[in-house]
Amino acid sequence: MKNIKSIIDETFLAMYEEYDSIFKNFYPGQGKAGFNEANLVQKFMFHYKQTYPSSIVWTELSTGEKSVGKYGRLDGVIIDLQNDALIIIEAKRFNQPRKLSSSIEDIVRATNLPDTIFHLNDIPIPSHRYTLVLGDIWDEGSSTDKRKLWIKSWESSNPLVEVGLEADIKPLQHRCRLLQIKLQIKEYNYHLVYSLFECTKKETCP
């Protein structure tokens, strides 16, 4: 069984390299409109599955919760029996400060979900549950841009931890990687980031 921090880091690096390869040949957007965060989930899970083919991966998993007339969903789930890991993925475009507090809400929600949501036929649920927050940040190079402060915080510490977490959520690791994108005559910095957390709540985590 491999260390989860190594697994996530290696998968994130593979995803980063794919993004880098794509941007050298193709810009999948219009202007600075950004990219749908669903791509982060899909590409991360693709590379995870490539390395651990026995894993079960799924996007947009319904949680059965109902709020404002809609059922709750998780952006992605990986059930890795080989490494005894259940990984809940939430993706964000970090373009506004409120996205940090929104991510904290997602992490807490993922921690409190009952095991019954991840029911497996005649197979025990992995005994380790993690929440992985994937995100991206645009930096246009302005020294006064607030996002530059965000990026520095991702490089030196974990800003999601600084916002505040419950005692049952243990931060494990975070990363920030830079990609340069050239649009017409201007170059932009595009950062891929992640934060990994472990659930230690006995009532919901095996």
Side-chain angles (χ1 to χ4, degrees):
M1 186 169 65
K2 194 167 182 178
N3 180 278
I4 189 66
K5 292 192 285 186
S6 297
I7 292 173
I8 298 300
D9 222 31
E10 290 168 5
T11 307
F12 180 76
L13 177 59
M15 182 184 77
Y16 165 85
E17 290 175 344
E18 182 186 358
Y19 267 79
D20 189 37
S21 176
I22 290 171
F23 292 159
K24 286 176 180 175
N25 301 290
F26 172 63
Y27 179 72
Q30 297 296 322
K32 296 182 293 180
F35 317 123
N36 191 297
E37 58 268 30
N39 289 287
L40 292 169
V41 180
Q42 292 166 359
K43 293 189 180 301
F44 185 89
M45 293 202 303
F46 170 80
H47 289 288
Y48 197 105
K49 184 81 172 175
Q50 288 282 97
T51 308
Y52 303 100
S54 63
S55 298
I56 299 168
V57 300
W58 198 260
T59 60
E60 297 297 319
L61 178 70
S62 175
T63 62
E65 308 164 296
K66 198 167 185 180
S67 175
V68 198
K70 295 182 179 180
Y71 284 100
R73 293 182 179 277
L74 301 174
D75 290 342
V77 172
I78 298 173
I79 300 173
D80 183 355
L81 300 177
Q82 178 182 338
N83 293 293
D84 194 25
L86 170 63
I87 305 165
I88 297 170
I89 302 176
E90 293 292 341
K92 295 286 184 199
R93 291 173 61 191
F94 288 110
N95 53 5
Q96 298 178 40
R98 65 179 177 82
K99 292 293 183 72
L100 289 177
S101 57
S102 174
S103 293
I104 293 295
E105 292 172 6
D106 288 341
I107 297 166
V108 172
R109 174 169 158 259
T111 299
N112 292 323
L113 289 173
D115 286 343
T116 51
I117 292 173
F118 312 103
H119 175 70
L120 298 171
N121 294 331
D122 303 319
I123 302 174
I125 295 173
S127 58
H128 300 282
R129 183 190 295 188
Y130 305 93
T131 301
L132 175 66
V133 177
L134 294 171
D136 63 10
I137 309 170
W138 283 91
D139 165 27
E140 298 181 30
S142 168
S143 60
T144 59
D145 192 341
K146 291 180 180 179
R147 294 182 194 179
K148 212 163 189 67
L149 298 176
W150 283 36
I151 294 160
K152 285 183 179 179
S153 69
W154 278 100
E155 291 172 342
S156 60
S157 62
N158 190 336
L160 292 176
V161 175
E162 293 168 11
V163 174
L165 287 169
E166 293 183 354
D168 297 317
I169 303 170
K170 179 183 177 183
L172 294 182
Q173 187 165 264
H174 73 282
R175 288 284 185 270
C176 176
R177 285 187 173 271
L178 167 67
L179 285 163
Q180 291 186 320
I181 302 174
K182 191 168 185 178
L183 296 180
Q184 297 176 344
I185 60 172
K186 191 171 182 179
E187 195 168 78
Y188 297 89
N189 292 331
Y190 176 73
H191 301 258
L192 291 175
V193 299
Y194 83 79
S195 286
L196 178 66
F197 302 86
E198 182 176 11
C199 169
T200 60
K201 197 167 188 174
K202 294 181 180 179
E203 292 82 358
T204 56
C205 303

